Amino acid sequence: MTTPASSAIRIDPATGQKSFATRAAPASDRIVGKGYSVPTEASLTTLPEPPPGAVFNAEEQAKYRAFKEARRGAADYMAMEGEFARYLDDVYSAPPVPREALADECEIVVVGAGLAGLLLWHKLRGAGFSDVRFCEKGGDVGGTWYWNRYPGIACDVEAYSYLPLLEEMEYIPSMKFASGFEILEYCQRMAEKFGFYERCVFHTTVLETVWDEASGRWTVITDRGDRMRARFVILANGILTSPKLARIEGMSTFRGNSFHTSRWDYRVDLTGKVVGIIGTGATAVQVIPEIARVVKELYVFQRTPSSIDVRDQRATTEEEYKSWPNEPGWARARRARFAKISNGRTAIQGNDDYLAGRVPDFKERKQYERELSMEELIEKQLDTNFRIMEQVRARVDAIVKDPRTAAALKPYYPWGCKRPTFHDEFLPTFNLPHVHLVDTAPRGVQRINENGVVHDGVEYALDVLIYATGFEWMATSTFNMIRGRDGRTLREKWATDGTKTFLGLHSAGFPNLFIVSGPQGGGGSFNFTDAIDAHADYIVWMLETMRSRGARVVDVRPEPELEYAEHCRQADVATAALRDCLSYYNGHGEAEPGSLAYYGGNRWHKYRREAQESLAPYLFD
Ligand SMILES: Cc1cc2nc3c(=O)[nH]c(=O)nc-3n(C[C@H](O)[C@H](O)[C@H](O)COP(=O)(O)OP(=O)(O)OC[C@H]3O[C@@H](n4cnc5c(N)ncnc54)[C@H](O)[C@@H]3O)c2cc1C
C-alpha cells in the first residue's frame, strides 16, 4: 500500500494545485535567445552542391585518418566532483521542499522524470498500474529540458516528430525546431494533465537500489533518507544526463565566473563581457550565435569542428495549425514516417513533404541489378557520407569570410560519426568582428589560469568562462548503484563479463529491473523519444504479461542475453567503418564493440517480437 508523498507536496490553498515549488526560474530576457530566428537567405538554408566527381578515395581516407590519429587520447574528461561539484548545483529551483523520509512500499519506482518518465506514467496509468512513484534529482519534470536552458536551446529532431503525445495533449509546437523552453513547458503541461506531480518526489536522487531475494523486492535508497520498497524498478535516468568537464591544467585557479552549459547561470549577465566558451559540439553550436548578440568579445576554443548542416528553422504555418487538429493521428503518422529516415539528415529540404505524407518517400531509391552485400552497402554509404561532408565543408567556405577561420571550421570524418549538428546562424557568427575562433586542434586547450585561457603562449583574459564540454554517453552513474541477485552492481557485472543485456531492457541477475534507453537498447531512430516509446510499450507489455500469469518476478536467461549481446557486438563491428572517428558515440575510440549504442537497426524489433511470442528468454517466478 502506498502512502502519498504528501509532505513533499505544496498545495496552493487558493487553487488546490499541487506543486513542488520548484518550477522553472525565470531566465533573463536579455540573453535568452530561443533559437527562433528564421534565416531567409538561400545561401544559409541550402547546402552547396558537392564538387563534381567527389569520391572517398585513398587520399581523402588518409586525410580522415590523420585527423583522427592526431586527436587520439586528447579527450580527457573528468567527473564534477570535489571542488568542481558546484558545477552540478541545481541553479533553476527553489531549495528542496522539506519532507519526511519515505519508508513505504509501492509496486513500481521509476528513476527520472524526463520525457521517458512522463511517457511511462501515461502508459502505465493507461494499463491500470497506478501504484507508481517517480524519483527525480531535479526540481521539476523535463529531464534534459529541465537541466539544459542555455540560450538558443532547441531540439534538432523536428518537434512535430520529437514531442510525444501531441494528439493527446492537443498541442502543436510553435516552431519546427522548438525551443528547449517550449519543450520544458510542454513537459510541465503533460505532468499537469496526467496527474504526474502527485506521483513524483523531486529533489530526490536515488543513491542505491538493492534486490532482496527473500521478499522479491527492491529497496530504493535516496539522498533524502528514503528507503522505499518496490516490486519493480525502472531506470528512466537518461542517456545524456551526467555533464562532464574537460580536464585542463589550472581550471580551479580561474577567478571569473564559470559554469557548464547544462546549468546555465542566468545570474551571470553576459552583456558587455569578454566571454570564452570551450567546446564546439551540438550545444555550443546553438549557444554561440545567441550570446554573440550581447557579449563584448567572444572567444570560441575549438579542438574538433562539428559538421554544421542546414537547419532551415521555420514557424508552424497557419495552415498546419488549422489542418492538423482535423487529421486524427497526424503526429503519430509523422513520427512513424520520421523513423524511416535512415540516413539521419533530418533537416534536408523536402522532408516536410514526406513527413506530411504528401510524397511517398524522402529520397529517390536507387535500384541495383543485384542485391548488394553488407560491405558493398557500407562502401556506398561511405561515399554518400563523404559527399555530404564535402557539401558541409563547401558551406563553411561559402559563408565564413576569413580563410583561416573557415579552414579550422571544416570537419574531416565520416558524416554522422560525431553527433551531426544543424544550424543556419552559427557559421555567419564567425564573420562578426568581436567573435574569434581559437583553433586548439588537435589536443585542445592547454591551460587555464586566474585570468582566463592560455593556449600556444597567448593568454585570453576572460570575464566569464563557459564549459560546453558535453555529457557522459550511456554511462550514467546509476548503473553503479543497482545491486542484483549476487550482490554485484550492474556496472561490476558489465565490467567483468562485458556489457550484457537482453534488448537493452533487462540484464540477467537483476530481476524486475527495466532499463530505458540504456546500452544496447534499440527500437528507435535518432529520434530518442521513438526508442523511449518502444521501451515503455515493452515494459507495459511485460507487466501485463506478468499480471495475467500471476508471476511476481521476471529475470532473463543467460543464453538469450549472450546471443543478444553478441548480435550487438557484431552489428557494431559490421558498421564500424561508418563511425571511424573519435566520438562520444564510441567512447572516444575506447569502447568495446556493442557496449554502447545499438547499431542493429530494425533487428531489435525482430528480437523483441520473437521474445514476446515465445516468452522463451524469460524466467518467471
Ligand atoms: C541539449 C540536448 C539536446 C537534445 N536534443 C535532442 C533532440 O533534438 N532529439 C533527440 O531525439 N534527442 C535529443 N537529446 C537527447 C535527450 O536526452 C532525449 O531526447 C530525451 O530527452 C531523454 O529523455 P529521458 O527521460 O530518457 O532522459 P533525461 O531527459 O535525461 O531525464 C532523465 C532524468 O533522470 C534524472 N536522474 C538521473 N539519475 C537519477 C538518480 N540517480 N536519481 C534521481 N533522478 C535521476 C535526471 O535528473 C533527469 O531529469 C538531447 C539531449 C541534450 C542534452
Side-chain angles (χ1 to χ4, degrees), residues 111-117 135-138 140 142-148 150 153-157 162 204-207 236-241 283 286 419 471 478 481 516-517 526-529 532:
V111 185
L115 281 167
C135 297
E136 168 55 55
K137 189 188 295 190
D140 206 336
T144 293
W145 309 101
Y146 172 84
W147 293 112
N148 291 273
Y150 53 78
I153 185 169
C155 53
D156 52 18
V157 159
Y162 178 68
T204 301
T205 300
V206 175
L207 299 177
N237 49 262
I239 30 145
L240 291 166
T241 312
T283 292
Q286 295 185 334
R419 183 174 170 188
F471 303 86
T478 313
M481 52 81 171
V516 179
S517 324
F526 339 84
N527 181 0
F528 267 103
T529 57
I532 290 170

Short mmCIF file of all heavy atoms in Angstrom, two decimals, residues 111-117 135-138 140 142-148 150 153-157 162 204-207 236-241 283 286 419 471 478 481 516-517 526-529 532, ligand 1:
data_model
loop_
_atom_site.label_atom_id
_atom_site.label_comp_id
_atom_site.label_asym_id
_atom_site.label_seq_id
_atom_site.Cartn_x
_atom_site.Cartn_y
_atom_site.Cartn_z
N VAL A 111 13.09 5.84 -11.80
CA VAL A 111 14.13 6.83 -11.57
C VAL A 111 14.16 7.77 -12.77
O VAL A 111 14.49 7.36 -13.88
CB VAL A 111 15.52 6.17 -11.40
CG1 VAL A 111 16.57 7.21 -11.04
CG2 VAL A 111 15.47 5.05 -10.37
N GLY A 112 13.78 9.05 -12.55
CA GLY A 112 13.84 10.02 -13.64
C GLY A 112 12.47 10.52 -14.06
O GLY A 112 11.53 9.74 -14.19
N ALA A 113 12.38 11.84 -14.24
CA ALA A 113 11.11 12.45 -14.65
C ALA A 113 11.30 13.28 -15.92
O ALA A 113 10.78 14.38 -16.05
CB ALA A 113 10.54 13.30 -13.51
N GLY A 114 12.08 12.73 -16.84
CA GLY A 114 12.20 13.35 -18.16
C GLY A 114 11.08 12.85 -19.06
O GLY A 114 10.06 12.34 -18.58
N LEU A 115 11.29 12.97 -20.35
CA LEU A 115 10.24 12.52 -21.28
C LEU A 115 9.96 11.03 -21.10
O LEU A 115 8.83 10.59 -21.25
CB LEU A 115 10.65 12.82 -22.72
CG LEU A 115 10.42 14.29 -23.12
CD1 LEU A 115 11.13 14.62 -24.44
CD2 LEU A 115 8.93 14.59 -23.24
N ALA A 116 11.01 10.26 -20.74
CA ALA A 116 10.79 8.83 -20.53
C ALA A 116 9.87 8.60 -19.33
O ALA A 116 8.93 7.81 -19.39
CB ALA A 116 12.11 8.11 -20.33
N GLY A 117 10.13 9.30 -18.24
CA GLY A 117 9.29 9.16 -17.05
C GLY A 117 7.85 9.53 -17.36
O GLY A 117 6.90 8.82 -16.99
N CYS A 135 11.15 9.18 -8.82
CA CYS A 135 12.15 9.92 -8.04
C CYS A 135 12.97 10.74 -9.02
O CYS A 135 13.51 10.19 -9.98
CB CYS A 135 13.10 8.98 -7.31
SG CYS A 135 12.30 7.94 -6.10
N GLU A 136 13.07 12.02 -8.78
CA GLU A 136 13.77 12.90 -9.72
C GLU A 136 14.75 13.81 -8.97
O GLU A 136 14.38 14.48 -8.02
CB GLU A 136 12.75 13.72 -10.51
CG GLU A 136 13.32 14.88 -11.32
CD GLU A 136 14.43 14.48 -12.30
OE1 GLU A 136 14.21 13.58 -13.13
OE2 GLU A 136 15.53 15.07 -12.22
N LYS A 137 15.97 13.81 -9.47
CA LYS A 137 17.04 14.63 -8.89
C LYS A 137 16.73 16.13 -9.00
O LYS A 137 16.98 16.90 -8.09
CB LYS A 137 18.30 14.32 -9.69
CG LYS A 137 19.57 14.89 -9.17
CD LYS A 137 20.72 14.66 -10.16
CE LYS A 137 21.03 13.20 -10.36
NZ LYS A 137 22.26 12.96 -11.12
N GLY A 138 16.16 16.53 -10.12
CA GLY A 138 15.89 17.96 -10.35
C GLY A 138 14.63 18.41 -9.65
O GLY A 138 13.94 17.64 -8.99
N ASP A 140 11.89 19.70 -11.08
CA ASP A 140 10.67 19.66 -11.87
C ASP A 140 10.84 18.58 -12.94
O ASP A 140 11.90 17.96 -13.04
CB ASP A 140 10.40 21.03 -12.53
CG ASP A 140 8.92 21.25 -12.82
OD1 ASP A 140 8.19 20.26 -12.97
OD2 ASP A 140 8.50 22.42 -12.91
N GLY A 142 10.95 17.14 -16.97
CA GLY A 142 11.60 17.61 -18.20
C GLY A 142 12.95 16.96 -18.47
O GLY A 142 13.37 16.86 -19.62
N GLY A 143 13.67 16.57 -17.40
CA GLY A 143 14.97 15.90 -17.61
C GLY A 143 15.92 16.78 -18.40
O GLY A 143 16.27 17.89 -17.97
N THR A 144 16.32 16.31 -19.57
CA THR A 144 17.21 17.07 -20.46
C THR A 144 16.77 18.52 -20.57
O THR A 144 17.60 19.44 -20.56
CB THR A 144 17.15 16.43 -21.87
OG1 THR A 144 17.74 15.14 -21.79
CG2 THR A 144 17.85 17.27 -22.91
N TRP A 145 15.44 18.72 -20.67
CA TRP A 145 14.91 20.06 -20.95
C TRP A 145 14.71 20.86 -19.67
O TRP A 145 14.42 22.04 -19.72
CB TRP A 145 13.62 19.93 -21.79
CG TRP A 145 13.89 19.04 -22.96
CD1 TRP A 145 13.56 17.73 -23.10
CD2 TRP A 145 14.65 19.38 -24.14
NE1 TRP A 145 14.04 17.23 -24.28
CE2 TRP A 145 14.71 18.21 -24.95
CE3 TRP A 145 15.28 20.54 -24.60
CZ2 TRP A 145 15.37 18.19 -26.17
CZ3 TRP A 145 15.93 20.52 -25.81
CH2 TRP A 145 15.98 19.35 -26.59
N TYR A 146 14.84 20.19 -18.54
CA TYR A 146 14.89 20.89 -17.26
C TYR A 146 16.30 21.42 -17.04
O TYR A 146 16.50 22.59 -16.69
CB TYR A 146 14.52 19.92 -16.13
CG TYR A 146 14.73 20.51 -14.75
CD1 TYR A 146 13.76 21.30 -14.16
CD2 TYR A 146 15.92 20.29 -14.05
CE1 TYR A 146 13.96 21.86 -12.90
CE2 TYR A 146 16.13 20.83 -12.80
CZ TYR A 146 15.15 21.62 -12.23
OH TYR A 146 15.36 22.17 -10.99
N TRP A 147 17.29 20.56 -17.28
CA TRP A 147 18.67 20.91 -16.94
C TRP A 147 19.30 21.85 -17.98
O TRP A 147 20.10 22.71 -17.62
CB TRP A 147 19.52 19.66 -16.83
CG TRP A 147 19.15 18.78 -15.66
CD1 TRP A 147 18.60 17.54 -15.73
CD2 TRP A 147 19.29 19.08 -14.27
NE1 TRP A 147 18.40 17.04 -14.46
CE2 TRP A 147 18.82 17.97 -13.55
CE3 TRP A 147 19.78 20.19 -13.56
CZ2 TRP A 147 18.81 17.93 -12.15
CZ3 TRP A 147 19.78 20.15 -12.17
CH2 TRP A 147 19.30 19.03 -11.49
N ASN A 148 18.95 21.65 -19.23
CA ASN A 148 19.60 22.44 -20.28
C ASN A 148 18.72 23.63 -20.64
O ASN A 148 17.67 23.46 -21.26
CB ASN A 148 19.84 21.57 -21.52
CG ASN A 148 20.89 20.52 -21.23
OD1 ASN A 148 22.08 20.77 -21.38
ND2 ASN A 148 20.46 19.34 -20.79
N TYR A 150 20.22 26.66 -21.88
CA TYR A 150 21.16 27.64 -22.43
C TYR A 150 20.48 28.46 -23.54
O TYR A 150 19.53 27.99 -24.18
CB TYR A 150 22.42 26.94 -22.93
CG TYR A 150 22.19 25.81 -23.90
CD1 TYR A 150 21.91 26.04 -25.24
CD2 TYR A 150 22.25 24.49 -23.47
CE1 TYR A 150 21.70 25.01 -26.13
CE2 TYR A 150 22.05 23.44 -24.36
CZ TYR A 150 21.77 23.71 -25.68
OH TYR A 150 21.57 22.68 -26.56
N ILE A 153 18.74 27.08 -27.03
CA ILE A 153 18.46 25.64 -26.98
C ILE A 153 17.20 25.28 -27.77
O ILE A 153 16.17 25.93 -27.64
CB ILE A 153 18.36 25.13 -25.52
CG1 ILE A 153 18.19 23.60 -25.54
CG2 ILE A 153 17.25 25.84 -24.75
CD1 ILE A 153 18.33 22.93 -24.21
N ALA A 154 17.32 24.26 -28.57
CA ALA A 154 16.19 23.76 -29.36
C ALA A 154 16.44 22.30 -29.66
O ALA A 154 17.59 21.85 -29.67
CB ALA A 154 16.06 24.55 -30.66
N CYS A 155 15.37 21.58 -29.94
CA CYS A 155 15.58 20.19 -30.37
C CYS A 155 16.14 20.21 -31.79
O CYS A 155 15.92 21.17 -32.53
CB CYS A 155 14.28 19.39 -30.30
SG CYS A 155 12.90 20.13 -31.17
N ASP A 156 16.85 19.16 -32.15
CA ASP A 156 17.33 19.12 -33.54
C ASP A 156 16.73 17.94 -34.29
O ASP A 156 17.11 17.67 -35.43
CB ASP A 156 18.86 19.17 -33.64
CG ASP A 156 19.54 18.14 -32.78
OD1 ASP A 156 18.86 17.18 -32.38
OD2 ASP A 156 20.75 18.28 -32.53
N VAL A 157 15.81 17.25 -33.67
CA VAL A 157 14.87 16.39 -34.40
C VAL A 157 13.60 17.23 -34.44
O VAL A 157 13.22 17.82 -33.42
CB VAL A 157 14.62 15.08 -33.61
CG1 VAL A 157 13.33 14.42 -34.04
CG2 VAL A 157 15.80 14.14 -33.77
N TYR A 162 9.39 14.81 -32.58
CA TYR A 162 10.12 14.55 -31.33
C TYR A 162 9.18 14.50 -30.12
O TYR A 162 9.30 13.61 -29.27
CB TYR A 162 11.19 15.63 -31.13
CG TYR A 162 11.96 15.46 -29.84
CD1 TYR A 162 12.83 14.39 -29.66
CD2 TYR A 162 11.81 16.37 -28.79
CE1 TYR A 162 13.52 14.22 -28.47
CE2 TYR A 162 12.49 16.21 -27.61
CZ TYR A 162 13.34 15.13 -27.45
OH TYR A 162 14.02 14.97 -26.27
N THR A 204 15.22 14.54 -5.33
CA THR A 204 15.42 13.25 -4.67
C THR A 204 16.28 12.39 -5.59
O THR A 204 15.83 11.99 -6.66
CB THR A 204 14.05 12.57 -4.41
OG1 THR A 204 13.26 13.44 -3.58
CG2 THR A 204 14.22 11.22 -3.74
N THR A 205 17.50 12.17 -5.19
CA THR A 205 18.43 11.38 -6.01
C THR A 205 18.50 9.97 -5.49
O THR A 205 18.76 9.76 -4.29
CB THR A 205 19.84 12.02 -5.98
OG1 THR A 205 19.73 13.35 -6.49
CG2 THR A 205 20.83 11.22 -6.82
N VAL A 206 18.26 9.01 -6.35
CA VAL A 206 18.37 7.61 -5.95
C VAL A 206 19.86 7.28 -5.86
O VAL A 206 20.61 7.46 -6.81
CB VAL A 206 17.66 6.69 -6.96
CG1 VAL A 206 17.89 5.22 -6.60
CG2 VAL A 206 16.16 6.99 -6.99
N LEU A 207 20.26 6.81 -4.68
CA LEU A 207 21.68 6.51 -4.45
C LEU A 207 21.99 5.03 -4.62
O LEU A 207 23.06 4.65 -5.06
CB LEU A 207 22.09 6.92 -3.03
CG LEU A 207 21.94 8.38 -2.66
CD1 LEU A 207 22.32 8.59 -1.19
CD2 LEU A 207 22.80 9.25 -3.56
N ALA A 236 14.79 5.32 -15.80
CA ALA A 236 14.49 6.26 -16.90
C ALA A 236 15.38 7.47 -16.68
O ALA A 236 14.93 8.61 -16.71
CB ALA A 236 13.01 6.63 -16.89
N ASN A 237 16.66 7.17 -16.44
CA ASN A 237 17.56 8.23 -15.99
C ASN A 237 18.36 8.88 -17.12
O ASN A 237 19.26 9.66 -16.86
CB ASN A 237 18.49 7.71 -14.89
CG ASN A 237 19.14 6.41 -15.28
OD1 ASN A 237 18.67 5.36 -14.89
ND2 ASN A 237 20.18 6.48 -16.08
N GLY A 238 18.02 8.56 -18.36
CA GLY A 238 18.57 9.34 -19.47
C GLY A 238 19.89 8.85 -20.01
O GLY A 238 20.61 8.07 -19.37
N ILE A 239 20.22 9.34 -21.20
CA ILE A 239 21.45 8.93 -21.88
C ILE A 239 22.50 10.02 -21.87
O ILE A 239 23.67 9.78 -22.02
CB ILE A 239 21.18 8.60 -23.36
CG1 ILE A 239 20.02 9.46 -23.85
CG2 ILE A 239 20.98 7.14 -23.60
CD1 ILE A 239 20.12 9.87 -25.22
N LEU A 240 22.05 11.25 -21.71
CA LEU A 240 22.99 12.38 -21.70
C LEU A 240 22.67 13.22 -20.47
O LEU A 240 22.26 14.37 -20.57
CB LEU A 240 22.84 13.21 -22.98
CG LEU A 240 23.30 12.54 -24.28
CD1 LEU A 240 22.80 13.29 -25.50
CD2 LEU A 240 24.81 12.43 -24.34
N THR A 241 22.82 12.59 -19.33
CA THR A 241 22.36 13.23 -18.09
C THR A 241 23.52 13.78 -17.27
O THR A 241 23.37 14.79 -16.60
CB THR A 241 21.60 12.21 -17.21
OG1 THR A 241 20.66 11.55 -18.02
CG2 THR A 241 20.88 12.88 -16.09
N THR A 283 25.78 21.54 -28.38
CA THR A 283 25.29 22.61 -27.52
C THR A 283 25.91 23.94 -27.92
O THR A 283 25.20 24.94 -28.11
CB THR A 283 25.64 22.31 -26.04
OG1 THR A 283 24.88 21.19 -25.60
CG2 THR A 283 25.35 23.49 -25.15
N GLN A 286 24.49 25.82 -30.80
CA GLN A 286 23.24 26.56 -30.55
C GLN A 286 23.48 27.81 -29.70
O GLN A 286 22.83 28.83 -29.88
CB GLN A 286 22.22 25.65 -29.86
CG GLN A 286 21.78 24.48 -30.75
CD GLN A 286 20.67 23.63 -30.12
OE1 GLN A 286 20.53 23.57 -28.90
NE2 GLN A 286 19.90 22.95 -30.95
N ARG A 419 28.27 13.56 -33.39
CA ARG A 419 26.87 13.99 -33.46
C ARG A 419 26.71 15.09 -34.52
O ARG A 419 27.30 16.18 -34.39
CB ARG A 419 26.42 14.50 -32.10
CG ARG A 419 24.97 14.87 -32.11
CD ARG A 419 24.47 15.24 -30.77
NE ARG A 419 23.14 15.80 -30.90
CZ ARG A 419 22.49 16.37 -29.92
NH1 ARG A 419 23.03 16.44 -28.74
NH2 ARG A 419 21.30 16.85 -30.12
N PHE A 471 28.44 15.67 -22.21
CA PHE A 471 27.89 14.73 -21.23
C PHE A 471 28.51 13.36 -21.40
O PHE A 471 29.00 13.02 -22.46
CB PHE A 471 26.37 14.56 -21.48
CG PHE A 471 25.63 15.84 -21.42
CD1 PHE A 471 25.53 16.65 -22.54
CD2 PHE A 471 25.06 16.27 -20.24
CE1 PHE A 471 24.87 17.86 -22.48
CE2 PHE A 471 24.40 17.48 -20.17
CZ PHE A 471 24.30 18.28 -21.29
N THR A 478 24.13 5.80 -12.51
CA THR A 478 23.05 4.97 -11.98
C THR A 478 23.41 3.48 -12.03
O THR A 478 23.06 2.72 -11.13
CB THR A 478 21.78 5.20 -12.82
OG1 THR A 478 21.62 6.60 -12.97
CG2 THR A 478 20.56 4.62 -12.17
N MET A 481 24.90 1.72 -9.00
CA MET A 481 24.25 1.60 -7.70
C MET A 481 23.11 0.60 -7.69
O MET A 481 22.36 0.55 -6.76
CB MET A 481 23.81 2.99 -7.21
CG MET A 481 22.99 3.81 -8.17
SD MET A 481 21.29 3.32 -8.14
CE MET A 481 20.47 4.54 -9.08
N VAL A 516 15.55 1.92 -19.49
CA VAL A 516 15.07 2.65 -20.68
C VAL A 516 16.26 3.37 -21.31
O VAL A 516 17.02 4.03 -20.62
CB VAL A 516 13.97 3.67 -20.28
CG1 VAL A 516 13.50 4.46 -21.51
CG2 VAL A 516 12.81 2.98 -19.62
N SER A 517 16.39 3.25 -22.61
CA SER A 517 17.46 3.92 -23.40
C SER A 517 18.85 3.68 -22.84
O SER A 517 19.66 4.59 -22.86
CB SER A 517 17.30 5.43 -23.50
OG SER A 517 16.06 5.89 -23.56
N PHE A 526 17.10 8.16 -34.71
CA PHE A 526 17.82 9.24 -33.99
C PHE A 526 16.86 10.01 -33.13
O PHE A 526 17.25 10.85 -32.36
CB PHE A 526 18.43 10.26 -34.93
CG PHE A 526 18.60 9.70 -36.28
CD1 PHE A 526 17.55 9.72 -37.17
CD2 PHE A 526 19.78 9.10 -36.62
CE1 PHE A 526 17.69 9.15 -38.39
CE2 PHE A 526 19.91 8.53 -37.85
CZ PHE A 526 18.87 8.55 -38.75
N ASN A 527 15.57 9.75 -33.37
CA ASN A 527 14.58 10.40 -32.54
C ASN A 527 14.48 9.60 -31.25
O ASN A 527 13.90 8.52 -31.22
CB ASN A 527 13.24 10.40 -33.29
CG ASN A 527 12.16 11.09 -32.50
OD1 ASN A 527 12.40 11.57 -31.39
ND2 ASN A 527 10.97 11.13 -33.06
N PHE A 528 15.06 10.15 -30.20
CA PHE A 528 15.16 9.36 -28.98
C PHE A 528 13.80 9.03 -28.37
O PHE A 528 13.64 7.99 -27.73
CB PHE A 528 16.04 10.06 -27.94
CG PHE A 528 17.45 9.60 -28.05
CD1 PHE A 528 18.40 10.37 -28.66
CD2 PHE A 528 17.81 8.35 -27.58
CE1 PHE A 528 19.69 9.91 -28.81
CE2 PHE A 528 19.09 7.87 -27.72
CZ PHE A 528 20.05 8.66 -28.34
N THR A 529 12.83 9.90 -28.61
CA THR A 529 11.54 9.62 -27.99
C THR A 529 10.88 8.40 -28.65
O THR A 529 10.00 7.78 -28.08
CB THR A 529 10.60 10.83 -28.03
OG1 THR A 529 10.44 11.25 -29.38
CG2 THR A 529 11.14 11.97 -27.20
N ILE A 532 12.29 5.58 -26.66
CA ILE A 532 11.64 5.63 -25.33
C ILE A 532 10.23 5.04 -25.42
O ILE A 532 9.79 4.26 -24.57
CB ILE A 532 11.60 7.09 -24.82
CG1 ILE A 532 13.01 7.56 -24.46
CG2 ILE A 532 10.66 7.24 -23.65
CD1 ILE A 532 13.11 9.05 -24.18
C1 LIG B 1 21.00 19.54 -25.09
C2 LIG B 1 20.37 18.29 -25.57
C3 LIG B 1 19.56 18.31 -26.70
C4 LIG B 1 18.97 17.14 -27.16
N1 LIG B 1 18.21 17.18 -28.28
C5 LIG B 1 17.63 16.06 -28.74
C6 LIG B 1 16.84 16.05 -29.93
O1 LIG B 1 16.66 17.06 -30.58
N2 LIG B 1 16.32 14.89 -30.34
C7 LIG B 1 16.50 13.72 -29.66
O2 LIG B 1 15.99 12.69 -30.09
N3 LIG B 1 17.22 13.70 -28.52
C8 LIG B 1 17.80 14.82 -28.06
N4 LIG B 1 18.54 14.79 -26.91
C9 LIG B 1 18.61 13.54 -26.13
C10 LIG B 1 17.59 13.63 -24.96
O3 LIG B 1 18.27 13.38 -23.79
C11 LIG B 1 16.44 12.65 -25.20
O4 LIG B 1 15.76 13.02 -26.38
C12 LIG B 1 15.36 12.63 -24.10
O5 LIG B 1 15.05 13.91 -23.62
C13 LIG B 1 15.77 11.73 -22.98
O6 LIG B 1 14.72 11.63 -22.06
P1 LIG B 1 14.87 10.73 -20.77
O7 LIG B 1 13.69 10.95 -19.94
O8 LIG B 1 15.20 9.34 -21.19
O9 LIG B 1 16.19 11.25 -20.08
P2 LIG B 1 16.51 12.67 -19.43
O10 LIG B 1 15.78 13.73 -20.13
O11 LIG B 1 17.97 12.77 -19.35
O12 LIG B 1 15.88 12.55 -17.99
C14 LIG B 1 16.44 11.71 -17.02
C15 LIG B 1 16.16 12.27 -15.66
O13 LIG B 1 16.63 11.34 -14.69
C16 LIG B 1 17.13 12.06 -13.60
N5 LIG B 1 18.06 11.21 -12.87
C17 LIG B 1 19.21 10.64 -13.33
N6 LIG B 1 19.79 9.90 -12.37
C18 LIG B 1 18.98 10.00 -11.28
C19 LIG B 1 19.04 9.46 -9.97
N7 LIG B 1 20.02 8.64 -9.58
N8 LIG B 1 18.03 9.76 -9.11
C20 LIG B 1 17.01 10.56 -9.48
N9 LIG B 1 16.92 11.11 -10.71
C21 LIG B 1 17.89 10.82 -11.60
C22 LIG B 1 17.81 13.27 -14.22
O14 LIG B 1 17.90 14.34 -13.31
C23 LIG B 1 16.87 13.57 -15.38
O15 LIG B 1 15.95 14.56 -15.05
C24 LIG B 1 19.18 15.94 -26.46
C25 LIG B 1 19.99 15.91 -25.32
C26 LIG B 1 20.59 17.07 -24.89
C27 LIG B 1 21.47 17.01 -23.67
#
